[in-house]
Amino acid sequence: MMEEVKEVTPTLSVHAHNIKVTEVLKEGDTLTFLIVSQKLSGTGEYHVDRTYDDFEWLQQHLFSQEDVPGIQGVIFPPLPAKAQVNASAKVMKQLGFLGLEEWQPYCKALENFVQQIAAHSILCKNKALEIFLTSPDPPGRQRVRKNIFNRLSQAVVEMRKESHKDVDEFFQTERDHNLVLTGCTKTATERFLDVVLTEQKIAVACGHFSAALHLCVEQGEDPDKQAFSKACVKLSEVFNSMKKNMTSVAENNVNTLGVGLDLESRYQEAEKEMLFRRTCKLVELETARRNAEKAKPVKKAAMEEVKKVAETEFDHICGVAKQEIAQFHGVRVKMLQQALVQWCEKQLLTAKENADQFDQHLQAFRGMA
Amino acid sequence: MAASSDRSPPPFPAAEESAAAPSDMPDGDSDEGEDIFVSNSNPVAVSRGVSQPDLFSEEEEASSTPAKSNGVHSDEDNDLFAEAHVELSTDKPGSSDRKELSSSSGLRPASSFTQSPAAMQPTSLEQLEEDEAKDSFDVDVAVTNPEKVGDGMNAYVAYKVSTRTSLPMFRSKAFTVRRRYSDFLGLYEKLSVKQSLLGCIIPPPPEKSVVGMTKVKVGMDDPSSVEFVERRRAALERYLQRVVSHPSLLQDPDVREFLEREELPRAVSTQALSGAGFLKMINKASDAVNKMTIKMNESDTWFEDKFQEVENEEQQLRKLHALVDSLVNHRKELCGNTAVFAKSMAMLGNSEDNTALSRALSQLAEVEDKMEQLHQEQAASDFFIFEELLADYIRLLGAMRGCFDQRIRAWQRWQEAQSTLQKKREAEAKLLWANKPDKLQQAKEEITEWEARVTQYERDFDRVGMTVRKEVLRFEKEKAKDFKSQIIKYLEAMLQSQQRLIKFWEAFLPEAKAIA
C-alpha cells in the first residue's frame, strides 16, 4: 500500500520517450513482459519483468491520487485489456488487433501506456511509476483500495448523468464530438479487424492450394506430361508467393493502421471517461449550489463550505481538462498521421515487391517450353 | 483444346459483358490473335474437308498392316478367344446400353462427309504425334449476349453464338445464330450417340442447374443471377471452342448445323442429362462395363496404366477444385469486408474536425473502395481462370474414362461375335451329321454373315484403340497448353492488379503526409 508522502516532488529517473517493452515470455498461463528503460544519469539501463497485474497496480495508483488537484480532469493513458495465453474467443475479440501477430502489437500498446504516463506532466510524478520501472521486485500484487474511478466507471446508475447538459459550450461541443468519434472509431477498428482476419484466411488458402499443386507432379518422360508437371510446380511457387504477400499485407495492416486505430479508439474512450467524471462533478456542484441555496440558516454555513469545495474542485478539473483536451487533439492527429503514413509506405513497398514477384513468375512461365 | 476467352474475366457481378465484336473474338491459340483469320493459307487445315482420296488410301494401308498401336494382334485372335471366358449371360447390360446410345452397331457418322475419325489414323505412334502438330485453328466461336426471352417459368436465356471461319465447308465466313442452353445439351447428346464406340473424347457442356435457372427466370438483375448467367455463358463458350477445335467433331454435320442453322428444332431428350449431370451418366456406363462377365484380357498395359492415371488425376483435380473454391469464397468475403470498412472510414472522416485528417480519412475510404473493386476482380480471376478450368478438366477426364469404356465395349462386342460364330459353326456341324440340307444352307449363310461381323468388329476394336490413344495424346497436349496459357493469363491479370494497387498507394501517400 502506497503512502501518500508529501515530499519533494519525485522525478522519474529514466527517460520517458525510449521506455521499451522488449520481450514477452509465456510462463504457464501468464505472460511476462520485459521492460527496459534508460537511466537519466549515466549510461545504465533498468531491466524489469512485469505481468499484467503489475500494470494494473500502476494504473490503480495513478487513479488514486486524490490529493492532486484536478486529477479527475486528466485523460488517463488507457491500459489494454488483459492478455491471456490460450485466450477465449471473447477475450480475443475484445483485444482485437492487440491479440494478433504473436503479441507484438500488445507489447507496443503496453509500451505506449508506460511512455505516455512517463511523459505526462502530472502523472510522471507518481512514485508508483518509478517503482514500476526500476524496482527489481514486482511491485506487489495486492488490490489497491477502491477509488473514485472504479466506482464511476462501473456504476450504471451514474450513466444517466452522461447526457447532463453542460454549462460550458467548449465542453458541450467536446462531449458531443467525442461521443460521435468514439462510436465511429470503434466501428472502423472492428471492421478493419474483419478485413485483416479475412486476409489471413486467404493466405492460408493460398498455402493449401500451393501444397496440393505440388502433389500434382506426374511421372513419365512424356513431354506433355512433363510440361504439365512443370507448370504445376511453378504455379505452386506462385501461390506460395501469394501466401507470403497476403501475410505481409495483413501484417502491415495490423502493425500500422490497426494498432493506430486501436489506440485512437481506446484514447477516445479515455477522454470520454474524463469528460464523464467532469460532468459528474458538475452535477455534484449544481446539487451543492442548490443545497446551499435551500439550506436552513442552521446548515447554511456548512452547505456553503461544501459548495465552495465543489466549486474549487470543479474549477481545477476544468483547468486540467482543457489542457488535456488541447494536448490530446494535437497528439492524436500526429499519431494518426504517423500510422497512416507508415501504413501507406509499408503497403506500397509490399505491393511493389509483389508486382516484381508476379513479373518474375510471368517471365518464367512465358519462357517455359 | 481452346483456352477460355481472351477477354479479361468478368468481375462479380458481371457488368454488361458486351458482345464481342468480330475483331475481339478470342481464338484457341491465344498468342495469335486475329491474324489467323486474315491470312489463312494453310493447306493442311483446308484439306481436312477436301482431300478424300488421300484418306482412303491411308485407310487401305491401315487395314493391310497389322495395327501396332494396341496389343491385340490379329494372329493372336484365336489364343485370346480360347482363353476368354465364354459364359455369356443372356441379359447383356452392354447391349442395352448400346441400344440407348446408338441405333445399331458399326454406325458411322452421317454420310455427308466421308471420312470417319478412324480413317485418318496413321499407322504409327510417331505419325500420330506429327498429325497433332499440324493441327491449326481456323474456326473460332464466341458465345455472348445472354438475353432473357419470355416471362415467368417458361422464360429462358438465349445466347448469341458467333462463328468466324475460313473453312469452305461452312456457308459463309462469319455468321451468328441464337441458341439456348438446351440446344447445347442437344448437341452433346447427338455427338455422344454418334461417337460412342469410336473412342473420341467429347467435351461435356456445363451441368443443368434448377436452382440457378429458377432465379434467372424470376429476374436477371440480382448479383447471383448475373453471376450464374455469366458463368454459364463462359462455360458454354469453352465447350463450343473445345468441340470445334477437335478435328473429328468439327466434321460432324450436327456441329455445323448447330453453328449455322437459323432455327434449330427444340432438343427434347435432354432430360437424361439433368440432375447430377454427365459424370453420373458416364459412371453408370462404367458400371455396366464392369458388370460384364467377359473381362478384357488386356495385353497392352498402356491402356490399363493410362486409365489408372486418369483416375488419379481426376482425384487430384477435384481436390484442387475444392481448394480454389475455398479461396474464391474468402476473396468474396474480403470484398464485403473491405466495402463495409470503407464506409466506416468515410463516416469517421466526416466526423473528424481536423480538416487535413478528415480529408485523408475520406481519401482512405476511396482507396478502400477501389481495393474492393480489385478484390472482386481477383476473385473473378481465381474463379474463371482456375476454378472453372479445373471443373472443365474434371468433366473431360470423366469423358475420357468414357472412351476407355467404349474400347472395352468394342472388345466385348467382338468377343461376343466370335463366340456366336463358334456356336453357328457347331450348329452347322450338327446339321451336317443330321443331314438336313435345307437348314444347312441357312446355317452356312449365317456363318458367312457372322464371319464378316467378327472381322468388322475386330477392325472396329483396333480403330477405337487407336482413336483412344490419339485422343489421349491430344488431350494431354491440349491440357498442358491450356493450363499454361491460363496460368499466364492469371499472372498477367494479377500483375495488372498489383500495378493498379501501387498507383492507389502512391496517390494516397501525399494525402497522408499532408496531415499537419
Side-chain angles (χ1 to χ4, degrees), chain A residues 203-217:
Chain A
V204 169
C206 286
H208 287 159
F209 190 55
S210 172
L213 277 168
H214 225 87
L215 297 175
C216 279
V217 176

Side-chain angles (χ1 to χ4, degrees), chain A residues 130-366:
Chain A
E130 178 76 21
I131 295 173
F132 180 84
L133 286 173
T134 62
S135 161
D137 302 316
R141 307 281 156 85
Q142 338 83 309
R143 265 249 157 273
V144 180
R145 70 178 191 284
K146 278 215 183 282
N147 54 49
I148 194 168
F149 299 93
N150 288 346
R151 271 214 318 272
L152 282 180
S153 55
Q154 278 146 37
V156 170
V157 75
E158 306 284 348
M159 295 318 276
R160 264 185 285 136
K161 295 179 186 166
E162 199 166 23
S163 50
H164 184 91
K165 196 155 186 300
D166 213 299
V167 296
D168 185 331
E169 199 184 311
F170 169 78
F171 280 103
Q172 185 64 62
T173 313
E174 188 63 22
R175 280 163 64 191
D176 295 337
H177 198 232
N178 169 272
L179 189 64
V180 172
L181 271 187
T182 319
C184 286
T185 313
K186 186 156 184 272
T187 307
T189 311
E190 286 169 356
R191 301 280 174 263
F192 197 49
L193 182 64
D194 289 337
V195 168
V196 167
L197 292 176
T198 310
E199 284 169 345
Q200 290 178 335
K201 282 189 217 166
I202 291 176
V204 169
C206 286
H208 287 159
F209 190 55
S210 172
L213 277 168
H214 225 87
L215 297 175
C216 279
V217 176
E218 294 171 346
Q219 306 304 322
E221 303 100 26
D222 178 61
D224 291 318
K225 276 209 181 296
Q226 287 191 333
F228 182 71
S229 297
K230 237 165 66 173
C232 284
V233 168
K234 281 226 82 51
L235 188 62
S236 172
E237 286 169 21
V238 168
F239 272 88
N240 200 34
S241 303
M242 281 169 62
K243 171 186 156 189
K244 290 200 186 120
N245 174 62
M246 250 317 163
T247 309
S248 293
V249 167
E251 237 175 60
N252 294 345
N253 281 341
V254 171
N255 292 334
T256 56
L257 186 58
V259 161
L261 281 175
D262 169 85
L263 186 63
E264 165 74 0
S265 184
R266 287 184 295 118
Y267 252 104
Q268 291 287 353
E269 289 284 347
E271 190 197 16
K272 186 174 177 187
E273 278 169 23
M274 181 279 278
L275 290 169
F276 182 62
R277 289 192 293 270
R278 180 188 157 279
T279 308
C280 290
K281 205 64 179 179
L282 174 62
V283 169
E284 192 187 303
L285 173 59
E286 286 176 348
T287 312
R289 283 198 181 131
R290 276 199 303 275
N291 290 345
E293 257 183 56
K294 286 192 275 183
K296 298 205 171 85
V298 170
K299 293 263 176 111
K300 193 97 177 184
M303 289 294 111
E304 282 291 326
E305 191 53 41
V306 167
K307 184 185 93 174
K308 273 225 175 65
V309 167
E311 268 172 2
T312 318
E313 277 180 1
F314 185 69
D315 284 339
H316 279 152
I317 291 174
C318 288
V320 170
K322 275 210 168 102
Q323 268 185 325
E324 289 282 283
I325 288 168
Q327 202 192 23
F328 176 57
H329 284 183
V331 166
R332 68 174 278 274
V333 170
K334 228 206 210 126
M335 187 274 292
L336 282 173
Q337 190 228 23
Q338 225 180 19
L340 287 170
V341 169
Q342 269 184 356
W343 178 59
C344 185
E345 284 175 343
K346 278 213 165 113
Q347 296 292 33
L348 182 54
L349 186 63
T350 301
K352 282 184 176 161
E353 282 169 1
N354 200 31
D356 280 340
Q357 279 281 322
F358 276 133
D359 198 41
Q360 276 176 30
H361 287 301
L362 189 55
Q363 298 312 323
F365 263 101
R366 284 194 177 134

Side-chain angles (χ1 to χ4, degrees), chain B residues 44-52 55 113-115 167-169 251:
Chain B
V44 178
V46 174
S47 75
R48 228 188 274 148
V50 170
S51 57
Q52 299 158 18
L55 295 156
F113 66 96
T114 51
Q115 67 273 31
L167 294 181
M169 73 178 181
Q251 302 301 323

